[in-house]
Amino acid sequence: MNPTGVSIRDFGGSQLRDLLHSVHLGGIANNSVELLSETLGPGGFRPLSNSPSWRSGVADDHTPFEFSTAFAVGEPAMVRVLVEPTAAEPSPAANMDAALDVLDSLAGRHGLPLDRFDAVRDLFLPSEPQGEFSLWFSLVFRADAKPVIKVYLNPEVRGRAEAPLLVGEGLARLGYGAGHATIVDHARRRGDLDRYSFFALDLTESSGARAKVYLSHQDATPDDAVVAASAAHGVDAETVRDFCLVAGGRSDPFTGRPLISSYTFLPGDVDRPSGYSLYLPVRSYVNDDSEARLRVLATLDQHLIDPTAFRSALGAVARRPLADGVGLIAHVSLRIGAPRPGVTVYLSSEAHSTASPRVATLVS
Ligand code: TRP
């Protein structure tokens, strides 16, 4: 147990504040911290604990939020938080209700357009949700702009077998129906090894509003990732091979945590998406976070991105020496194609616990 009794929301809020300050976004810290608190739902008032009452899938230690920092050449860093709202008495159905309450109040206060969410909600929010979660949010913070709020829905919420139907129908309702076959051909070639993991929507005005589909690829090779990337139009799919090598440190199959693809559909996309991202769970392929940090720096260098903001962000979130654990740097992702290419680094709060470093094994 945590002797100080600090709540999840206060802990997350102070980390977010430090992170925003570290990348020169201190001016929006107060509003951003308030938004995070609200999005955590009633469960955010619980004190931190080594055995949390809801084992959130957002982070390995079950903290219900995770930070990320998005970098692109010549652009200021963006800070984001992925959040699972939870109920006072968490359960799959109670958390879904808590998340819908959060959405109602955010929509009211921030004037969020819910038309596209409403178009698909009956698919993804059944009365008895199955699987790991039903509704997560992402809050995107940028200087001089209102935060962007995104929702993540679970394609397996009616069971794994229903996932392709839900995603196909969801895309069709948003006008991207013809894109589903393209995704299936490129990213669902290996049966059950390729699973639908998220269906995401931006709650912004439709002109730039995106829909994203995520698939995880168990035991995938860099070649599989290149094929997955080539579904998006106008991208150089080969760049993901170098990314696997530099960020993942290997050209062998990724047999630990899976590589994940996401496809971005933008208005005007007809039969294929215009953006692709590859998420590499670097924490499964390093011994500790000091090694993960080097992988991130090499990746930023490969893409000509100034590492200053990443260094500051990491310093702001870490509360321990990097070599003393693994998983603080959870994923590294590469975005190619529209709307803008770049690298994103996912930083765990470690609010509940830290995973011990792996010991490099000496093969005799
Ligand atoms: N923790 C989950 C995972 O690692 C979900 C998740 C959190 C995730 N942040 C992510 C998945 C970033 C992909 C990218 O799969």
Side-chain angles (χ1 to χ4, degrees), residues 269-282:
D269 289 342
V270 181
D271 58 354
R272 56 202 313 161
S274 50
Y276 176 81
S277 297
L278 183 65
Y279 305 80
L280 197 152
V282 62

Side-chain angles (χ1 to χ4, degrees), residues 97-123:
D97 289 344
L100 286 169
D101 287 347
V102 165
L103 182 60
D104 265 357
S105 89
L106 293 179
R109 185 126 30 84
H110 299 269
L112 304 178
L114 293 183
D115 45 328
R116 289 164 340 113
F117 176 77
D118 288 339
V120 301
R121 65 179 286 165
D122 64 302
L123 297 172

Side-chain angles (χ1 to χ4, degrees), residues 212-275:
K212 287 177 86 171
V213 175
Y214 294 69
L215 291 105
S216 69
H217 309 294
Q218 194 63 56
D219 298 341
T221 62
D223 279 337
D224 292 325
V226 171
V227 174
S230 67
H233 62 70
V235 301
D236 178 4
E238 281 294 323
T239 51
V240 306
R241 190 189 307 281
D242 301 329
F243 173 73
C244 287
L245 200 59
V246 174
R250 61 206 287 131
S251 47
D252 298 338
F254 286 82
T255 51
R257 287 177 192 278
L259 294 176
I260 298 179
S261 290
S262 81
Y263 293 104
T264 303
F265 289 91
L266 295 170
D269 289 342
V270 181
D271 58 354
R272 56 202 313 161
S274 50

Side-chain angles (χ1 to χ4, degrees), residues 56-60 66-68 80 82 132 136 197-198 214 216 257-258 260 279-281 283 330-333 346:
S56 177
V58 165
D60 294 354
E66 178 195 63
F67 302 106
S68 58
R80 309 188 306 202
L82 176 66
E132 184 165 78
W136 288 354
S197 24
F198 305 104
Y214 294 69
S216 69
R257 287 177 192 278
I260 298 179
Y279 305 80
L280 197 152
R283 65 198 187 282
H331 282 94
V332 190
S333 74
Y346 295 77

